[in-house]
Amino acid sequence: MRTLAFGMNVSVDGYIAAPGDDLGWSVPSDELFQWWSDRVGTTGLALYGRRLWETMSSHWPTADQQPGATPAQIEYARRWRDMPKMVFSSTTGTVDWNTSVVTGDAVTKITRLKADDGDSMDIGGATLAAAAMRAGLIDEYLIVTHPVLVGAGTPFFTALDNWVNLSLVETRTFPDGVLMTRYVTRG
């Protein structure tokens, strides 16, 4: 059985993007960027919602070819292209870079994927992750908290029908006061 993790950069007040999808507050240090890159390098399958897919696919496929690309950016771009990905969308057409499109019910598909043998999966995108969260499909939460309050925007957590009990299994601090906490779901 595969595990499913949801991890994002988050403001202290719980948002993954400020109004207008502004991510300027979450620019990672070199150390945090390397941590995210290493995570991508070990992900068996990444599940994306349409909006996050559009953001990632507009930059990372050619980021290693941009003037001034750092060795870390070059490595991340390669890892991102190589990582198997699924985009859940009824409007996304052709995809590339080791990616497939799923147009059916996301919860049903993710449930099937979790039942298979294979490497761990990561989920990204607020709407897609919220559906998986409400269905009780997320096994692990990686919350990378940046010391900023953005006041509104796209929340990391969705409204739930029931509590989700968590166990803290790891913490790590990064430069600039960023804190990663990793939780696994209990029972």
Side-chain angles (χ1 to χ4, degrees):
M1 181 165 211
R2 299 170 107 168
T3 60
L4 180 63
F6 178 37
M8 298 286 287
N9 292 310
V10 181
S11 65
V12 169
D13 52 349
Y15 295 98
I16 59 176
D21 291 329
D22 184 355
L23 301 173
W25 55 269
S26 65
V27 174
S29 65
D30 291 343
E31 185 180 339
L32 178 57
F33 186 82
Q34 187 63 54
W35 182 84
W36 281 116
S37 181
D38 292 345
R39 180 133 186 103
V40 167
T42 61
T43 298
L45 176 63
L47 311 177
Y48 283 101
R50 179 193 53 80
R51 287 177 53 207
L52 183 57
W53 166 254
E54 288 173 353
T55 298
M56 297 296 284
S57 66
S58 70
H59 179 72
W60 288 110
T62 59
D64 56 341
Q65 301 162 22
Q66 301 303 313
T70 67
Q73 291 167 333
I74 292 168
E75 177 184 45
Y76 185 93
R78 179 190 52 79
R79 286 175 166 177
W80 186 86
R81 281 191 309 264
D82 291 348
M83 174 181 61
K85 297 171 282 299
M86 279 187 184
V87 179
F88 290 77
S89 172
S90 59
T91 59
T92 299
T94 304
V95 294
D96 204 346
W97 315 292
N98 206 16
T99 307
S100 59
V101 176
V102 176
T103 58
D105 179 64
V107 169
T108 300
K109 180 66 175 181
I110 295 168
T111 301
R112 284 190 200 128
L113 289 168
K114 282 190 60 151
D116 290 343
D117 290 330
D119 294 326
S120 63
M121 300 182 296
D122 281 355
I123 191 167
T127 303
L128 180 63
M133 201 180 303
R134 281 190 301 277
L137 296 173
I138 297 178
D139 303 297
E140 184 175 310
Y141 293 87
L142 294 113
I143 305 167
V144 180
T145 307
H146 292 252
V148 62
L149 301 170
V150 299
T154 306
F156 180 82
F157 291 105
T158 187
L160 298 170
D161 297 328
N162 299 299
W163 292 357
V164 177
N165 294 309
L166 305 172
S167 294
L168 178 66
V169 294
E170 181 182 4
T171 62
R172 180 171 172 184
T173 57
F174 291 93
D176 304 320
V178 174
L179 175 66
M180 184 279 296
T181 50
R182 184 168 66 96
Y183 298 91
V184 295
T185 56
R186 289 187 283 140

